[in-house]
Amino acid sequence: MKVFYVLCPAKYETGGTELAHQLVDFMINSGYECYMVYFDNNDFVSSEVPIGFQKYNILVKETIEDNKNNCIIIPETFLFFSKRFKNAYLIFWWMSFDNYLKRAGVIDIFKYYFKGLFNTKSLFVKLYFFNINKSISLNRIKHIEKKRILHLYQSRYASDMLLKNNIYKQLPLSDYINTEFTNSLDLKNTKKENLVLYNPSKGYEITLKIKKLLPDIKFIELKGLSRNNLNKLFQKAKLYIDFGNHPGKDRLPREACINGCCIIVGKNGSASYFEDVPISDNYKFDNSDLTGIKNRILDIFENYEERSLDFTFYRSKINKEKEIFFNEISEFINYINSL
């Protein structure tokens, strides 16, 4: 039986780190030997399970032996850790693709700059902080011995980007939103207000332009909020907008949708894929189509009850995510054990 180790940054409570804890929790509860290995900077460290994740069943280790019986699951932004292991089975977990480029090789950074994946400012920031010891190129990834590597993808977008780079050995491992957000909200009897919610760190330049076109509409940024207060806003508002880069299947659109918000997104990253954001193209816009976005917002406010029905399929998909996630874990473990 294989032993699994999941690498995770120490002391952070984010969507990505919670997802890692959800994986370890399920594997331990299913009878597999699985450990969380925390790291800080470039070193494995001794660390307590973060308070917000202590509800999960987690076992922690500080070291990993480099032998063929061990499987090391590494998030895409920290793939450089794979350089330490010559014998262990490597599982690269692509929770996103764009975020990988923070630690990619220099050639990859330039390649995706010229493909428009990030702007000039981002390019210089990435090059300024580039550290060869904390990077790994797509070319090097492709040349790791195929018998000891597997790629897991959280979104169809990430899978597609890997395929375009001739990385084919893939299986899905998605995620599910925190169950504190999924509730028995009665959408038909919930009074909604003409509020637009947005994440100020995602596509803010576009949001600012839209705000100027709709000076009488109240826009609320989702920043510095407790989960309870965030949930209350989702349940109150008619609309959530997101014109950011969508490096993977983002959580905020799903958390908003499951709480009765209509959703408008740009066509960047995973948002352009129906498999990742399964909503009508009527709610997906090029960032330059400000008039179309404005008119859709007004339409949603005027006809919320009818427009909300357009998101029934998306809500049903969100409600099935946990079951799908657990099935995907079982599938990739069965694959590993069959080797």
Side-chain angles (χ1 to χ4, degrees), residues 257-280:
C257 187
I258 203 67
N259 280 289
C261 293
C262 296
I263 309 295
I264 294 177
V265 296
K267 294 182 178 180
N268 301 313
S270 68
S272 65
Y273 286 73
F274 182 78
E275 297 94 329
D276 297 333
V277 184
I279 63 177
S280 166

Side-chain angles (χ1 to χ4, degrees), residues 211 214-218:
K211 288 173 70 174
L214 295 167
D216 297 327
I217 299 297
K218 187 174 183 179

